[in-house]
Structures are given as structure tokens and as C-alpha cells.
Amino acid sequence: MNIYPFIDSQAIRDHLQKLDYGFCAAEMAYLIWQSRGKTLEEKLRAWQELMETTADEEVFADRRKGIKVSLHQVLRKYVNTQKNLMEAFQDGKNCVYFYRYEEDSFYYDCEEGSKGASWRSERCFRDYKSCCEALGHEVERCRETGRESGLRDLWIERYDLDGASACDVAYMDAGIRITRLNCRAVTEEDDVEIDFEDICQEMCMDIPTPFCRGDLVYHCGHGDKKPFVLDYINTWNREKRLENGFSKKEAEEGERERNWCFQNGDPSGMWTYGYEMRDGFGVWYEDLGYEEYFNLEYYREPLEGKEQVLKLIREYLKGKCCLELLLNGYTFFLLDGKDGQLRERYYRSYREEDRKRLGLICPDEKKGEV
């Protein structure tokens, strides 16, 4: 089967196709599950095709106890359950629906630390189709006012009228199609002891990527496309870390952490680490939101303002600039290049290639781009 449409990153898709990489069934099942760009119906069809066209494999159901189960058996149960839940969610019997959506704080004055604004429909809907149409009108309104890229989450809530306090939730894409369900079991058969999602959450997949230390990247699927400089991906083994400039000690420590994550089913074994610029803070280095590497994409847009610091961090990690230039460039970009004395001194002190990294022109000329 063609698994590439379920890999959200164009860069990783191209790289794997060049390698003619051979996927096992467990890798394909996981990639379908983690894809952010596909609807639930598309995933269900893909899993069905996977079961029909690949040999079965055993996967861990409980790593601590060493229990393995049939991938096809667990997946078949999961597909049937998801179909039942989706049908029950949409049936509109003895229930009401509300829609919700969230927008990034970029578009609204929100409290400090808030990610954005959350909106809920002012009225309830007695059928699923009407609620979807109303949510679609809201998305269209956001599109017309230039706010579509700030939409982070869309979902529909279903409340039973029998007094049950819990609600079922269907997460939607911008086309108002279901991408994921969070629902109560419809039948006893749907309330499974071994769930495919639980298995996926303890999987660690080491799939080749084209990325190296110092690459300027972002996580595709995020509205803001925030760039950061990659330091490493936790799947990298000792050899890969040494190739990317880590010391022998760092490479060995990194491999021990990687191996522990893979042996214990800890998804942090797939996290990405790097440097980004954060408002009100400066350069931030960490796991960058607990993001896995499958949606990494090269960032090719021009950097502006303080984010130009990322260019120097990239050059430093790749061994193309010294620590002095990195630190002075950081100061220069934080000042937005407005300090005339610094501009003149840096222009006269650094070579042409380093001046270009700082965006410097002759101090006698007007400020411009190089």
C-alpha cells in the first residue's frame, strides 16, 4: 500500500522515497494513526487496506510484562469500534450538539500565558448536520477576515438528553470532517481491554529523516509555522550524533537515553530538541512542546526581526561561525540593528561573509538588505 500520503512532512516523504525505504506493518499502522492531515474515515480505509495487504506482526500490549498481541487482531477491533462510535455520534438521537473552536492569541488580547481565545456556539443544535454547517460558516468567516491560519482546534460536542453529565467529542479539520473521536463506548464489545491507541502511545519508531543538527525547521500543521534550529532528534543513535558534532560522551549518553525510551515505550524517544525565539524571554532551548519528528519540515521563509538570531545559531551549530560572532550577533539582533556604533564597529571588525550573516552594509549607507 502507499503509506506516503500519511506522512505529513514533505521533506521526510521525499527522503524515504529516495531511500526506497521498506516499511513494516507496525510502522505503517503507526504512521496512519499519527497523521494530522488525514480524516478518520481516510485512516479507517487505510488500516483496512493494511490488514488486507500485509503480513501480521506481533506488537507489545504491555512492555513491562513482555506481553505481545497480533497487530491485525487489535487493529481490526479498533477499526470496528471507531466505525460504531462515529455512527453513534452522528445519529442525533435524544441529544444536542454544540461546536467549539480556538484561535491563537495573536488575533486577540488575551491574558499573559494564554494560548488564545476559545469560542462556543451560542445555541445548541438538534442534529449533527446542522451543527457542522454552522461550524463551517464560522470557519468561512475566519477565512474571509484573514484569521483562518490562527484556528488551532475545531470540535463538536454531543450531549445526551438523558441527564448524563459526560459529553462525547469529535475533533474536526477545516473542511468539517472528523479527524478523531473521544467518545464513550457504544456497546460492551467497544469497551476493549487492549486498545490500539494505547499501543501506539507506547510505540517508538525510528524512521530515517533528512535532517541534521543546525537545520532551520518548523512543525508543519501548526498555524504559526514557528521556526527553530534543530539540535537533535532523540531517535539518533551514537553514530548519528557523532556525525552531527556531538562529543563522544554526549553521543553515548544520548544513545543510552534513546535505548531506554525504545525499550520502555516512552514517546519522548521521538521528540525534537532545538532553539527558538520566545517573546518576553529570548532564546529557548528544550523539547519545544513535546513534539515528535514526523511533522518536521524545512523552514525556507526569510527570518525577520529578533528571529534573525536563529541564522547565527544555525551557523554556529554547523561550525560556520565562532562563539564571538554568535554572542555579538545576538546582541545586535535584539537591538534590531539600531545601535549605530555597534553597526560601525561590527562592520569594520568582521569579514564580508560574517557581515552578511549579520545583515550589515556599509555604515555610511542607509539601512537596507544585503
Side-chain angles (χ1 to χ4, degrees):
M1 65 173 294
N2 182 14
I3 192 63
Y4 291 109
F6 292 88
I7 301 174
D8 295 333
S9 165
Q10 181 68 52
I12 295 178
R13 284 201 302 272
D14 292 344
H15 183 66
L16 292 171
Q17 286 177 313
K18 286 181 181 178
L19 294 176
D20 194 22
Y21 183 77
F23 298 90
C24 68
E27 287 174 334
M28 289 192 285
Y30 181 86
L31 287 170
I32 294 167
W33 175 76
Q34 63 81 43
S35 176
R36 299 181 179 182
K38 296 298 181 180
T39 67
L40 180 57
E41 286 190 351
E42 289 172 320
K43 292 181 178 183
L44 295 176
R45 288 196 297 269
W47 281 317
Q48 187 65 46
E49 181 183 352
L50 184 150
M51 289 185 286
E52 294 170 354
T53 58
T54 66
D56 195 8
E57 296 178 12
E58 285 192 332
V59 292
F60 277 107
D62 190 324
R63 290 178 179 272
R64 287 166 291 280
K65 296 180 179 179
I67 299 174
K68 289 187 174 183
V69 294
S70 158
L71 172 64
H72 284 189
Q73 182 178 348
V74 173
L75 195 52
R76 187 174 295 109
K77 184 69 175 178
Y78 179 74
V79 168
N80 291 336
T81 296
Q82 291 296 300
K83 288 179 178 178
N84 291 339
L85 294 178
M86 185 157 54
E87 182 179 349
F89 187 90
Q90 296 172 330
D91 68 11
K93 296 177 181 178
N94 194 37
C95 68
V96 292
Y97 298 90
F98 292 87
Y99 66 75
R100 285 183 182 267
Y101 64 96
E102 292 186 353
E103 293 184 76
D104 287 332
S105 57
F106 175 82
Y107 296 96
Y108 292 94
D109 294 327
C110 301
E111 295 181 5
E112 186 175 351
S114 173
K115 292 183 178 180
S118 178
W119 307 95
R120 183 184 182 185
S121 54
E122 295 181 352
R123 70 181 186 89
C124 64
F125 300 85
R126 291 304 304 269
D127 64 277
Y128 174 76
K129 182 179 179 181
S130 297
C131 191
C132 286
E133 290 175 350
L135 179 56
H137 292 320
E138 287 293 328
V139 172
E140 183 61 31
R141 187 169 61 87
C142 290
R143 184 179 293 118
E144 292 172 352
T145 54
R147 291 160 31 221
E148 183 185 13
S149 62
L151 290 175
R152 286 189 287 108
D153 292 296
L154 308 169
W155 70 95
I156 290 176
E157 299 171 342
R158 182 188 192 275
Y159 292 88
D160 290 335
L161 295 177
D162 59 6
S165 58
C167 75
D168 295 326
V169 178
Y171 296 91
M172 320 295 284
D173 65 9
I176 319 302
R177 299 169 300 181
I178 296 175
T179 59
R180 182 166 57 92
L181 292 169
N182 184 7
C183 300
R184 294 159 292 176
V186 178
T187 66
E188 290 185 3
E189 291 185 355
D190 294 330
D191 192 9
V192 295
E193 181 178 352
I194 300 175
D195 184 65
F196 176 66
E197 288 200 13
D198 293 337
I199 291 175
C200 285
Q201 288 167 2
E202 291 192 356
M203 279 185 175
C204 280
M205 295 293 174
D206 186 5
I207 293 174
T209 74
F211 305 110
C212 298
R213 191 184 198 189
D215 285 347
L216 191 61
V217 295
Y218 71 99
H219 288 293
C220 62
H222 291 205
D224 57 2
K225 288 183 65 174
K226 189 171 182 61
F228 67 95
V229 180
L230 181 68
D231 192 27
Y232 67 94
I233 300 172
N234 222 13
T235 56
W236 290 357
N237 59 19
R238 179 180 181 276
E239 289 70 26
K240 181 72 172 180
R241 293 173 195 252
L242 289 174
E243 290 173 8
N244 279 271
F246 288 93
S247 69
K248 183 179 178 181
K249 180 181 178 182
E250 291 171 329
E252 291 174 350
E253 289 176 348
E255 175 149 313
R256 281 196 294 272
E257 180 184 354
R258 170 198 182 275
N259 291 343
W260 186 92
C261 290
F262 275 67
Q263 290 166 7
N264 291 275
D266 187 334
S268 67
M270 299 185 289
W271 287 356
T272 56
Y273 292 76
Y275 303 83
E276 71 176 16
M277 286 297 296
R278 291 198 175 181
D279 293 336
F281 187 88
V283 176
W284 177 270
Y285 175 85
E286 204 36 83
D287 48 66
L288 303 178
Y290 314 111
E291 288 283 356
E292 297 167 3
Y293 66 92
F294 299 105
N295 64 344
L296 272 185
E297 197 69 85
Y298 289 116
Y299 189 85
R300 305 190 187 279
E301 298 179 13
L303 294 171
E304 298 180 353
K306 296 180 177 62
E307 283 191 335
Q308 293 179 82
V309 171
L310 299 179
K311 292 190 297 185
L312 292 177
I313 296 176
R314 176 188 63 192
E315 299 287 276
Y316 180 75
L317 290 178
K318 289 183 176 290
K320 296 181 180 179
C321 85
C322 63
L323 181 60
E324 177 197 299
L325 182 66
L326 172 63
L327 296 175
N328 285 338
Y330 179 73
T331 302
F332 184 72
F333 286 129
L334 286 185
L335 295 172
D336 201 22
K338 294 177 181 177
D339 189 310
Q341 286 187 334
L342 277 183
R343 291 183 64 83
E344 184 173 348
R345 288 172 183 169
Y346 289 173
Y347 185 86
R348 301 189 188 286
S349 299
Y350 289 119
R351 300 169 299 174
E352 181 180 359
E353 60 187 77
D354 290 335
R355 293 199 298 267
K356 286 182 177 179
R357 291 186 175 106
L358 293 171
L360 287 172
I361 61 171
C362 177
D364 297 328
E365 299 176 17
K366 292 182 178 179
K367 183 180 177 182
E369 295 183 355
V370 174

